[in-house]
Amino acid sequence: MIEALRAKLLEVWRAQRSLLLVVACLGFALATGFECIEWRRAIMTNDVIEGLRAGRDIRVDPEARPEALLARIAFLTKRNELDQARGLLEALDHAGDAQTRAPGHYLLANALLLSALEHVEKLELDAASPFANLSKREYRRALQLNPEFWDAKFNIDVAARLLRDFPDYERKSGDELSADPNKLWTDIPGKPKGLP
């Protein structure tokens, strides 16, 4: 029985050998073509990232790779173009993994916190409050995506303390957290490791 099966397979191989080899070659050619396209897309993405890092204003499609979206968000937040950065962050949330999305939220939170600090320096506390609250929300989102993101833990503490330390600022609404003066890390989610 095994000999009969073996003979049948040899007969099929002899009859269809050319066709099977052509199909195998076409399959390898398609796989190679696909890999070349992916390689070219990776090179183009790297060129976009390097251009953005160099300070060139390169437009990035919301359907682009997550790495390019993150580089564009970094470019926009450096220039305080927060609305455009927020739009790309939504696209990044749909396309990227948690390790790419967390830095995007962190970058936007940093830009919002800087805006809040600018208002605080001018003693415009009412104008600083929304920026501080939005930055805390973005830091929390970054920490949800990456709980070990220590910089986000530190900065959310800064954002939480920013306005409440002013004695003349009376908070009537917003994101108020109760603070126990006996605890050092009152506002940081999770358990911090090490010293501040």
Short mmCIF file of all heavy atoms in Angstrom, two decimals, residues 144-181:
data_model
loop_
_atom_site.label_atom_id
_atom_site.label_comp_id
_atom_site.label_asym_id
_atom_site.label_seq_id
_atom_site.Cartn_x
_atom_site.Cartn_y
_atom_site.Cartn_z
N GLN A 144 -1.83 54.57 31.71
CA GLN A 144 -2.68 53.40 31.46
C GLN A 144 -2.05 52.51 30.40
O GLN A 144 -2.11 51.29 30.49
CB GLN A 144 -4.06 53.84 31.00
CG GLN A 144 -4.92 54.42 32.08
CD GLN A 144 -6.21 55.02 31.53
OE1 GLN A 144 -6.35 55.22 30.32
NE2 GLN A 144 -7.14 55.32 32.42
N LEU A 145 -1.44 53.13 29.40
CA LEU A 145 -0.82 52.37 28.32
C LEU A 145 0.52 51.76 28.75
O LEU A 145 0.89 50.69 28.29
CB LEU A 145 -0.62 53.26 27.10
CG LEU A 145 -1.91 53.76 26.45
CD1 LEU A 145 -1.62 54.89 25.49
CD2 LEU A 145 -2.62 52.61 25.76
N ASN A 146 1.25 52.46 29.61
CA ASN A 146 2.54 51.98 30.08
C ASN A 146 2.69 52.35 31.56
O ASN A 146 3.19 53.43 31.88
CB ASN A 146 3.68 52.60 29.26
CG ASN A 146 5.03 52.08 29.67
OD1 ASN A 146 5.15 51.23 30.55
ND2 ASN A 146 6.07 52.60 29.05
N PRO A 147 2.27 51.49 32.47
CA PRO A 147 2.30 51.80 33.90
C PRO A 147 3.70 52.04 34.46
O PRO A 147 3.85 52.64 35.52
CB PRO A 147 1.67 50.58 34.56
CG PRO A 147 0.89 49.91 33.50
CD PRO A 147 1.60 50.21 32.22
N GLU A 148 4.74 51.63 33.77
CA GLU A 148 6.11 51.82 34.25
C GLU A 148 6.75 53.09 33.70
O GLU A 148 7.96 53.28 33.85
CB GLU A 148 6.97 50.60 33.86
CG GLU A 148 6.47 49.30 34.43
CD GLU A 148 6.45 49.31 35.95
OE1 GLU A 148 7.40 49.83 36.55
OE2 GLU A 148 5.48 48.80 36.53
N PHE A 149 5.99 53.96 33.10
CA PHE A 149 6.49 55.19 32.47
C PHE A 149 6.78 56.20 33.58
O PHE A 149 5.95 57.01 33.96
CB PHE A 149 5.44 55.72 31.50
CG PHE A 149 5.95 56.65 30.45
CD1 PHE A 149 5.19 56.89 29.32
CD2 PHE A 149 7.16 57.29 30.57
CE1 PHE A 149 5.62 57.76 28.34
CE2 PHE A 149 7.61 58.16 29.59
CZ PHE A 149 6.85 58.38 28.47
N TRP A 150 8.01 56.18 34.11
CA TRP A 150 8.34 56.96 35.28
C TRP A 150 8.25 58.46 35.02
O TRP A 150 7.82 59.22 35.89
CB TRP A 150 9.74 56.60 35.79
CG TRP A 150 9.96 57.10 37.17
CD1 TRP A 150 9.69 56.42 38.33
CD2 TRP A 150 10.43 58.38 37.57
NE1 TRP A 150 9.99 57.20 39.42
CE2 TRP A 150 10.45 58.41 38.97
CE3 TRP A 150 10.86 59.50 36.89
CZ2 TRP A 150 10.87 59.52 39.70
CZ3 TRP A 150 11.27 60.62 37.60
CH2 TRP A 150 11.27 60.61 39.00
N ASP A 151 8.67 58.92 33.85
CA ASP A 151 8.60 60.35 33.55
C ASP A 151 7.16 60.85 33.60
O ASP A 151 6.89 61.96 34.08
CB ASP A 151 9.20 60.65 32.18
CG ASP A 151 10.71 60.47 32.16
OD1 ASP A 151 11.32 60.49 33.25
OD2 ASP A 151 11.28 60.32 31.06
N ALA A 152 6.23 60.04 33.12
CA ALA A 152 4.82 60.42 33.18
C ALA A 152 4.34 60.46 34.63
O ALA A 152 3.55 61.33 35.01
CB ALA A 152 3.96 59.46 32.35
N LYS A 153 4.80 59.53 35.46
CA LYS A 153 4.44 59.54 36.88
C LYS A 153 4.92 60.81 37.56
O LYS A 153 4.20 61.43 38.34
CB LYS A 153 5.03 58.32 37.60
CG LYS A 153 4.38 57.02 37.25
CD LYS A 153 5.03 55.89 38.01
CE LYS A 153 4.44 54.56 37.61
NZ LYS A 153 5.01 53.44 38.38
N PHE A 154 6.14 61.18 37.27
CA PHE A 154 6.70 62.39 37.87
C PHE A 154 5.95 63.64 37.39
O PHE A 154 5.59 64.51 38.19
CB PHE A 154 8.20 62.50 37.53
CG PHE A 154 8.85 63.70 38.14
CD1 PHE A 154 9.29 63.66 39.44
CD2 PHE A 154 9.01 64.87 37.41
CE1 PHE A 154 9.89 64.77 40.03
CE2 PHE A 154 9.60 65.98 37.98
CZ PHE A 154 10.04 65.93 39.29
N ASN A 155 5.72 63.72 36.08
CA ASN A 155 5.09 64.92 35.52
C ASN A 155 3.62 65.05 35.93
O ASN A 155 3.12 66.17 36.05
CB ASN A 155 5.22 64.94 34.01
CG ASN A 155 6.64 65.25 33.58
OD1 ASN A 155 7.53 65.43 34.39
ND2 ASN A 155 6.85 65.30 32.27
N ILE A 156 2.93 63.95 36.13
CA ILE A 156 1.54 64.06 36.57
C ILE A 156 1.50 64.62 38.00
O ILE A 156 0.59 65.36 38.37
CB ILE A 156 0.77 62.72 36.47
CG1 ILE A 156 -0.74 62.98 36.57
CG2 ILE A 156 1.22 61.73 37.51
CD1 ILE A 156 -1.59 61.78 36.30
N ASP A 157 2.51 64.30 38.78
CA ASP A 157 2.59 64.87 40.12
C ASP A 157 2.83 66.37 40.04
O ASP A 157 2.23 67.15 40.78
CB ASP A 157 3.70 64.19 40.91
CG ASP A 157 3.73 64.65 42.35
OD1 ASP A 157 2.66 64.62 42.99
OD2 ASP A 157 4.81 65.05 42.83
N VAL A 158 3.70 66.80 39.13
CA VAL A 158 3.94 68.23 38.94
C VAL A 158 2.66 68.93 38.50
O VAL A 158 2.30 69.99 39.02
CB VAL A 158 5.07 68.45 37.90
CG1 VAL A 158 5.18 69.92 37.52
CG2 VAL A 158 6.39 67.94 38.44
N ALA A 159 1.95 68.33 37.55
CA ALA A 159 0.71 68.93 37.06
C ALA A 159 -0.35 69.00 38.16
O ALA A 159 -1.10 69.98 38.25
CB ALA A 159 0.17 68.14 35.86
N ALA A 160 -0.40 67.98 39.00
CA ALA A 160 -1.40 67.95 40.07
C ALA A 160 -1.10 69.01 41.13
O ALA A 160 -2.01 69.57 41.73
CB ALA A 160 -1.45 66.57 40.71
N ARG A 161 0.16 69.28 41.36
CA ARG A 161 0.55 70.26 42.38
C ARG A 161 0.62 71.68 41.84
O ARG A 161 0.76 72.62 42.62
CB ARG A 161 1.91 69.89 42.96
CG ARG A 161 1.90 68.60 43.71
CD ARG A 161 3.33 68.19 44.06
NE ARG A 161 3.36 66.87 44.63
CZ ARG A 161 3.34 66.62 45.92
NH1 ARG A 161 3.28 67.60 46.78
NH2 ARG A 161 3.36 65.38 46.36
N LEU A 162 0.54 71.85 40.56
CA LEU A 162 0.80 73.14 39.94
C LEU A 162 -0.06 74.26 40.50
O LEU A 162 0.44 75.29 40.92
CB LEU A 162 0.61 73.03 38.42
CG LEU A 162 0.88 74.29 37.62
CD1 LEU A 162 2.35 74.68 37.76
CD2 LEU A 162 0.53 74.07 36.17
N LEU A 163 -1.36 74.08 40.53
CA LEU A 163 -2.25 75.16 40.93
C LEU A 163 -2.67 75.09 42.39
O LEU A 163 -2.99 76.10 42.99
CB LEU A 163 -3.49 75.18 40.04
CG LEU A 163 -3.21 75.52 38.58
CD1 LEU A 163 -4.47 75.39 37.77
CD2 LEU A 163 -2.62 76.90 38.46
N ARG A 164 -2.67 73.91 42.94
CA ARG A 164 -3.18 73.82 44.30
C ARG A 164 -2.20 74.41 45.32
O ARG A 164 -2.57 74.68 46.45
CB ARG A 164 -3.55 72.39 44.63
CG ARG A 164 -2.50 71.61 45.29
CD ARG A 164 -3.00 70.31 45.81
NE ARG A 164 -1.77 69.60 46.11
CZ ARG A 164 -1.55 68.37 45.85
NH1 ARG A 164 -2.49 67.64 45.32
NH2 ARG A 164 -0.40 67.83 46.11
N ASP A 165 -0.95 74.63 44.94
CA ASP A 165 0.03 75.23 45.85
C ASP A 165 -0.11 76.74 45.99
O ASP A 165 0.52 77.35 46.83
CB ASP A 165 1.45 74.89 45.40
CG ASP A 165 1.79 73.42 45.64
OD1 ASP A 165 1.04 72.79 46.42
OD2 ASP A 165 2.76 72.93 45.07
N PHE A 166 -0.94 77.35 45.13
CA PHE A 166 -1.16 78.79 45.24
C PHE A 166 -2.25 79.04 46.27
O PHE A 166 -3.39 78.61 46.10
CB PHE A 166 -1.59 79.37 43.88
CG PHE A 166 -0.45 79.56 42.95
CD1 PHE A 166 -0.03 78.54 42.12
CD2 PHE A 166 0.22 80.76 42.91
CE1 PHE A 166 1.03 78.71 41.26
CE2 PHE A 166 1.29 80.94 42.05
CZ PHE A 166 1.69 79.93 41.23
N PRO A 167 -1.95 79.75 47.36
CA PRO A 167 -2.96 79.94 48.42
C PRO A 167 -4.13 80.81 47.97
O PRO A 167 -5.23 80.64 48.47
CB PRO A 167 -2.17 80.62 49.54
CG PRO A 167 -0.94 81.15 48.91
CD PRO A 167 -0.68 80.35 47.68
N ASP A 168 -3.90 81.70 47.00
CA ASP A 168 -4.99 82.58 46.60
C ASP A 168 -5.87 81.98 45.51
O ASP A 168 -6.84 82.58 45.09
CB ASP A 168 -4.43 83.93 46.12
CG ASP A 168 -3.48 83.77 44.95
OD1 ASP A 168 -2.94 82.66 44.78
OD2 ASP A 168 -3.30 84.76 44.22
N TYR A 169 -5.53 80.76 45.06
CA TYR A 169 -6.32 80.14 44.02
C TYR A 169 -7.34 79.21 44.67
O TYR A 169 -7.00 78.24 45.32
CB TYR A 169 -5.44 79.33 43.07
CG TYR A 169 -6.21 78.69 41.95
CD1 TYR A 169 -6.77 79.47 40.95
CD2 TYR A 169 -6.39 77.33 41.91
CE1 TYR A 169 -7.47 78.89 39.92
CE2 TYR A 169 -7.11 76.73 40.89
CZ TYR A 169 -7.64 77.53 39.90
OH TYR A 169 -8.35 76.94 38.88
N GLU A 170 -8.60 79.54 44.49
CA GLU A 170 -9.67 78.72 45.07
C GLU A 170 -10.27 77.87 43.96
O GLU A 170 -10.84 78.39 43.00
CB GLU A 170 -10.73 79.63 45.67
CG GLU A 170 -11.84 78.87 46.35
CD GLU A 170 -12.85 79.83 46.95
OE1 GLU A 170 -12.43 80.81 47.58
OE2 GLU A 170 -14.05 79.59 46.76
N ARG A 171 -10.13 76.58 44.11
CA ARG A 171 -10.64 75.68 43.07
C ARG A 171 -12.12 75.43 43.32
O ARG A 171 -12.52 74.99 44.38
CB ARG A 171 -9.88 74.37 43.12
CG ARG A 171 -10.26 73.45 42.00
CD ARG A 171 -9.48 72.20 42.09
NE ARG A 171 -8.08 72.54 42.00
CZ ARG A 171 -7.18 71.76 41.46
NH1 ARG A 171 -7.53 70.62 40.98
NH2 ARG A 171 -5.92 72.10 41.42
N LYS A 172 -12.91 75.70 42.30
CA LYS A 172 -14.35 75.49 42.42
C LYS A 172 -14.80 74.24 41.67
O LYS A 172 -15.84 73.69 41.95
CB LYS A 172 -15.09 76.72 41.88
CG LYS A 172 -14.80 77.95 42.72
CD LYS A 172 -15.48 79.14 42.14
CE LYS A 172 -15.12 80.32 43.02
NZ LYS A 172 -15.02 81.56 42.37
N SER A 173 -14.04 73.83 40.69
CA SER A 173 -14.39 72.64 39.92
C SER A 173 -13.11 72.06 39.36
O SER A 173 -12.05 72.62 39.50
CB SER A 173 -15.35 73.00 38.79
OG SER A 173 -14.69 73.85 37.87
N GLY A 174 -13.24 70.96 38.71
CA GLY A 174 -12.08 70.38 38.04
C GLY A 174 -11.68 69.06 38.63
O GLY A 174 -12.47 68.34 39.22
N ASP A 175 -10.43 68.78 38.50
CA ASP A 175 -9.89 67.46 38.82
C ASP A 175 -9.15 67.53 40.15
O ASP A 175 -7.94 67.52 40.22
CB ASP A 175 -8.94 67.05 37.70
CG ASP A 175 -8.62 65.58 37.76
OD1 ASP A 175 -9.23 64.88 38.57
OD2 ASP A 175 -7.75 65.15 37.00
N GLU A 176 -9.90 67.63 41.24
CA GLU A 176 -9.29 67.80 42.55
C GLU A 176 -9.01 66.44 43.17
O GLU A 176 -9.86 65.56 43.19
CB GLU A 176 -10.22 68.61 43.45
CG GLU A 176 -9.56 69.02 44.74
CD GLU A 176 -10.38 70.07 45.46
OE1 GLU A 176 -11.18 70.73 44.80
OE2 GLU A 176 -10.22 70.19 46.66
N LEU A 177 -7.83 66.30 43.70
CA LEU A 177 -7.44 65.07 44.38
C LEU A 177 -7.16 65.39 45.84
O LEU A 177 -6.53 66.39 46.15
CB LEU A 177 -6.16 64.50 43.74
CG LEU A 177 -6.28 64.09 42.28
CD1 LEU A 177 -4.90 63.73 41.76
CD2 LEU A 177 -7.21 62.92 42.13
N SER A 178 -7.64 64.54 46.73
CA SER A 178 -7.36 64.77 48.14
C SER A 178 -5.92 64.38 48.43
O SER A 178 -5.40 63.42 47.89
CB SER A 178 -8.31 63.95 49.01
OG SER A 178 -8.14 62.59 48.74
N ALA A 179 -5.28 65.15 49.27
CA ALA A 179 -3.87 64.91 49.56
C ALA A 179 -3.69 64.69 51.05
O ALA A 179 -4.15 65.48 51.87
CB ALA A 179 -3.04 66.10 49.10
N ASP A 180 -3.01 63.63 51.40
CA ASP A 180 -2.66 63.36 52.78
C ASP A 180 -1.25 63.90 52.99
O ASP A 180 -0.30 63.45 52.33
CB ASP A 180 -2.68 61.85 53.03
CG ASP A 180 -2.39 61.49 54.48
OD1 ASP A 180 -2.17 62.41 55.28
OD2 ASP A 180 -2.39 60.29 54.78
N PRO A 181 -1.07 64.88 53.88
CA PRO A 181 0.25 65.48 54.03
C PRO A 181 1.31 64.52 54.56
O PRO A 181 2.50 64.79 54.45
CB PRO A 181 0.02 66.64 55.01
CG PRO A 181 -1.29 66.38 55.65
CD PRO A 181 -2.07 65.49 54.74
#
